[in-house]
Amino acid sequence: MNMLSLQIVVTWVHVLFGIFWFGGTLYATFILGPAVMSLPPQSQLALFRSLMNRKAPLVFEVVGSITILLGIIRGTLLGPVQTLGFLLGTAYGITWAIALLFGLGILAWSHFVTTPASEPIAQAMAAGDTASARRVIPLLLVELAGFFGVFTCMILMRFGL
Ligand code: HEM
């Protein structure tokens, strides 16, 4: 396989996983969240628990990690970021570094903040605090802010910046 074919394949998979990761978070925040909160408390709790079981967050972590890994490969082995000078001395290099930091930041935030918050929230719901599901929203908004940052970087790199 030549360089161009490899770049096409890696970009194809990278973008597919990226839209799964980003799009899944948009869907959770703006469609699934409001739908869960419109249900009666008993159903809210059951759905919230089944959505936040160990598997669902794991799917996002795997998808996110693959997106980042392919972004690293696409930028370095299959891209122009091959020296420290390029990384820190060009617009593209700096944009790529910012994308990497945002990507790792989102992954860390969801692993260490959003996912661990779900069990205490489920317990508060079980204890009758019907509004507690709302506490996930600001956590998801932080992730979305990161995604908008990454997404901006992707567009900038497309134009060589
Ligand atoms: C949610 C996360 C991400 C999404 C949705 C995403 C999406 C995209 C899209 C749509 C493109 C194609 C741009 C084009 O060619 O027109 C792209 C390219 C690229 N992405 Fe990402 N990406 C994400 C995360 C990352 C991360 C974290 C990195 C760095 C580690 C990265 C590195 C790259 C690179 C180097 C390119 C090629 C840019 C070029 O030279 O044209 N991506 N990404």
Side-chain angles (χ1 to χ4, degrees), residues 3 15 22 30 34 38 41 50 74-75 78 80 88 91 93-94 101 106 124-125 157:
M3 184 75 162
V15 175
F22 185 13
F30 296 108
S38 74
S50 73
R74 178 64 185 80
L78 299 175
L88 302 173
I94 292 167
L101 293 178
I106 299 164
M125 288 165 88
M157 283 188 290

Side-chain angles (χ1 to χ4, degrees), residues 30-50:
F30 296 108
I31 311 284
L32 212 50
V36 171
M37 281 183 286
S38 74
L39 295 169
Q42 286 294 339
S43 321
Q44 269 192 38
L45 180 59
L47 188 54
F48 184 81
R49 275 230 154 96
S50 73

Side-chain angles (χ1 to χ4, degrees), residues 14-15 18 21 71 74-75 92 96 99-100 147 150 154 157-158:
H14 171 73
V15 175
W21 191 25
R74 178 64 185 80
Y92 190 105
W96 180 84
L100 179 58
F147 279 119
V150 177
M154 295 307 113
M157 283 188 290
R158 169 68 179 76

Side-chain angles (χ1 to χ4, degrees), residues 48-49 52 114-125:
F48 184 81
R49 275 230 154 96
M52 293 303 288
T114 311
T115 305
S118 69
E119 191 44 40
I121 288 173
Q123 276 167 17
M125 288 165 88

